[in-house]
Amino acid sequence: MAPHPVVQAIIDLSAGAIGGTACVFSGQPFDTAKVKMQTFPSMYRGFLHCFMATYRQMGLRGLYQGATPALIANIAENAVLFMSYGFCQDVLRRITGMDRAVELSDLQKACSGSLASIFSSLALCPTELVKCRLQAMHEMEASGKIPAGQKSSVWSVVRTVLRKDGPLGFYQGLTTTIVREVPGYFCFFGAYELCRTTFAQHLNTEKDGIGVVPLMFSGGFGGACLWLVVYPIDCVKSRIQVHSLAGRQQGFIKTLMGIIRTEGGLGWGEDRRRGSVKASFGSTSVPWDFTWGFLRTYVMIFGRAGLGL
């Protein structure tokens, strides 16, 4: 029997808080290096160089820059995503004329998750903008894009956005966020449900009875699939949200084409580019980002599993 909608909402919010907190503590340094290398690829030779340079400059505080908005983003995204996920499943049943008692296929669940990500994007975009700007503040100053000596706190970034662009300024990069989330969560929920189905068949049990470890593995596998697909789009989103701090930034298509034109698509450019910085899409931070994505979904699924969902 399904729980009452209010109880379900509380479970989703609690699971989002547990998973989001664990995710920030375990994965924030990876995310910080990712954002820095996506937005200023010429400054770093690779992940380890970026990681160590940040640690030498600012210590652990630098690696956990933007942790507060990241925590809010994780809690909000997870809660809204899974609350919307159930709603989108009901909508899909209604459109296809299916009875509520009938289990959706893995493909139908992937479509429901993809649709639900549109709603979570609205909650995610403002907090991600603040997080990304905090993470790349040092690089913005070092490159001369903004004056040195800027305050790097959550409230200083929030005040700057409100002063320059008003409340809608927090939604710079919203289109790119949606473009990233929709295919990303189709892959996440598709891979997650397919993995659960495979475990259930192998263990000769129901999908809900596969146990915590297979459940967490399924979530981690889904997260890896998500990041494999959306990494180039995430790079564009980071550029838009960070560089808009210095003035109006070009939109998704122009930013994407600019990266491809000036840096190449996969870092396999012409001979004249060899020995220079690797392109953002082919950055050596990619394996670390997949690790971060795995951790992110692993702890999020663990939070839900721990609450018996």
Side-chain angles (χ1 to χ4, degrees):
M1 180 180 176
H4 189 276
V6 175
V7 176
Q8 182 72 55
I10 293 172
I11 291 174
D12 284 324
L13 186 61
S14 301
I18 293 170
T21 302
C23 175
V24 170
F25 279 109
S26 62
Q28 186 67 10
F30 293 102
D31 185 61
T32 297
K34 172 182 74 74
V35 171
K36 287 176 180 289
M37 294 180 68
Q38 286 177 329
T39 51
F40 292 93
S42 61
M43 287 190 177
Y44 302 105
R45 296 189 298 271
F47 169 77
L48 289 177
H49 179 223
C50 178
F51 188 93
M52 294 308 299
T54 302
Y55 181 77
R56 283 195 299 269
Q57 290 158 2
M58 293 177 280
L60 279 176
R61 185 177 63 86
L63 294 172
Y64 280 90
Q65 196 76 279
T68 300
L71 180 58
I72 296 172
N74 273 280
I75 293 173
E77 183 190 19
N78 290 341
V80 173
L81 179 68
F82 282 98
M83 282 192 288
S84 303
Y85 182 48
F87 169 75
C88 291
Q89 285 182 320
D90 290 339
V91 170
L92 190 60
R93 284 191 178 94
R94 213 171 265 191
I95 292 173
T96 56
M98 294 175 63
D99 189 84
R100 289 198 63 176
V102 177
E103 181 78 7
L104 294 177
S105 69
D106 293 344
L107 179 61
Q108 289 170 325
K109 288 182 178 180
C111 292
S112 299
S114 182
L115 182 60
S117 69
I118 297 174
F119 299 100
S120 66
S121 296
L122 298 174
L124 181 65
C125 186
T127 48
E128 279 231 323
L129 180 134
V130 176
K131 175 188 74 71
C132 288
R133 288 189 176 183
L134 283 170
Q135 288 172 320
M137 187 74 73
H138 173 78
E139 286 73 16
M140 288 290 284
E141 293 181 356
S143 64
K145 291 185 179 293
I146 60 173
Q150 297 272 340
K151 287 184 178 179
S152 57
S153 68
V154 173
W155 294 116
S156 65
V157 173
V158 170
R159 284 196 300 268
T160 300
V161 173
L162 288 173
R163 187 175 67 251
K164 286 186 174 181
D165 305 300
L168 291 179
F170 290 105
Y171 286 93
Q172 294 179 86
L174 175 62
T175 300
T176 313
T177 302
I178 293 174
V179 170
R180 180 191 71 174
E181 299 289 278
V182 169
Y185 276 103
F186 178 87
C187 293
F188 168 71
F189 281 102
Y192 171 61
E193 294 295 343
L194 183 61
C195 208
R196 288 178 65 210
T197 299
T198 303
F199 273 118
Q201 292 172 347
H202 181 73
L203 298 172
N204 196 27
T205 184
E206 297 293 323
K207 286 174 72 173
D208 291 336
I210 61 175
V212 173
V213 174
L215 183 67
M216 291 190 295
F217 178 86
S218 300
F221 178 71
C225 291
L226 181 153
W227 281 100
L228 182 65
V229 171
V230 306
Y231 186 82
I233 306 172
D234 184 64
C235 175
V236 177
K237 181 196 74 70
S238 296
R239 290 278 180 101
I240 291 172
Q241 291 186 321
V242 171
H243 289 185
S244 59
L245 179 60
R248 187 167 181 81
Q249 176 67 14
Q250 293 177 324
F252 172 72
I253 297 297
K254 288 187 176 179
T255 302
L256 173 65
M257 297 309 296
I259 293 173
I260 294 174
R261 185 174 58 253
T262 59
E263 301 168 38
L266 291 171
W268 301 332
E270 305 131 6
D271 289 339
R272 61 187 171 83
R273 286 181 182 162
R274 288 179 184 169
S276 63
V277 62
K278 293 187 177 180
S280 300
F281 295 167
S283 167
T284 50
S285 70
V286 172
W288 302 95
D289 297 325
F290 292 158
T291 303
W292 178 81
F294 187 94
L295 284 169
R296 181 180 185 278
T297 47
Y298 184 90
V299 296
M300 180 262 289
I301 294 295
F302 177 77
R304 294 173 63 78
L307 288 167
L309 188 57

